[in-house]
Amino acid sequence: MSETDVYEPLYALIRTIPRGKVVTYGQAAEGVEGVRLTARMVGSAMRIAPDDVPWHRVVGAGGTLPIGKISPEMLLRQRALLEREGVHFRSDRSNIIDMSQYQWLNE
DNA sequence: ATAGTGACAAATG
DNA sequence: TCATTTGCCACTA
């Protein structure tokens, strides 16, 4: 990370997400104070996130996973990490989370 | 300095 | 349900 890394505040926020809960890219972007971020920026940040950042707890609006946007390996890893925390999907075929139950409401 | 790109999102068709 | 368009702004070449 460099001194110009504007993602630190974001990473700090992501690290406060409780186990078993998730937030959307847009929600994460708005939750960061002092820095002007957009949902796209959050995506870019997650791609290069440090290992101590629970990047798997950030999903798309509506509880979708970034299918096709990331490698199949990463996709499986994200799903595995979430299920390990008790977050289950609507079905085994679709990578969609039941947000009404797992979305982290806070900020 | 400029143009193209993108782990997004909401509105349309 | 899927495809397209537009706004968004840091990053990369």
Side-chain angles (χ1 to χ4, degrees):
Chain A
M1 303 180 259
S2 65
E3 58 289 326
T4 58
D5 188 356
V6 299
Y7 298 142
E8 260 318 304
L10 170 62
Y11 292 144
L13 174 68
I14 302 303
R15 280 189 273 254
T16 67
I17 303 174
R19 283 188 87 239
K21 289 294 180 181
V22 302
V23 299
T24 67
Y25 292 97
Q27 189 185 353
E30 289 186 24
V32 179
E33 299 172 39
V35 185
R36 182 69 169 165
L37 291 180
T38 65
R40 276 186 117 103
M41 298 297 86
V42 176
S44 297
M46 292 305 97
R47 186 169 63 72
I48 61 175
D51 291 336
D52 63 321
V53 175
W55 55 271
H56 58 280
R57 294 180 187 148
V58 181
V59 302
T64 61
L65 265 52
I67 306 173
K69 305 296 183 75
I70 63 179
S71 66
E73 299 76 49
M74 271 301 189
L75 183 62
L76 290 176
R77 178 145 35 204
Q78 176 166 24
R79 179 162 179 160
L81 287 168
L82 287 173
E83 294 187 312
R84 180 190 302 174
E85 300 182 351
V87 177
H88 55 64
F89 294 69
R90 287 188 170 185
S91 85
D92 297 320
R93 291 295 192 69
S94 73
N95 292 304
I96 301 178
I97 296 173
D98 184 344
M99 292 304 270
S100 65
Q101 191 168 42
Y102 300 111
Q103 181 167 36
W104 184 45
L105 303 175
N106 211 304
E107 274 174 51

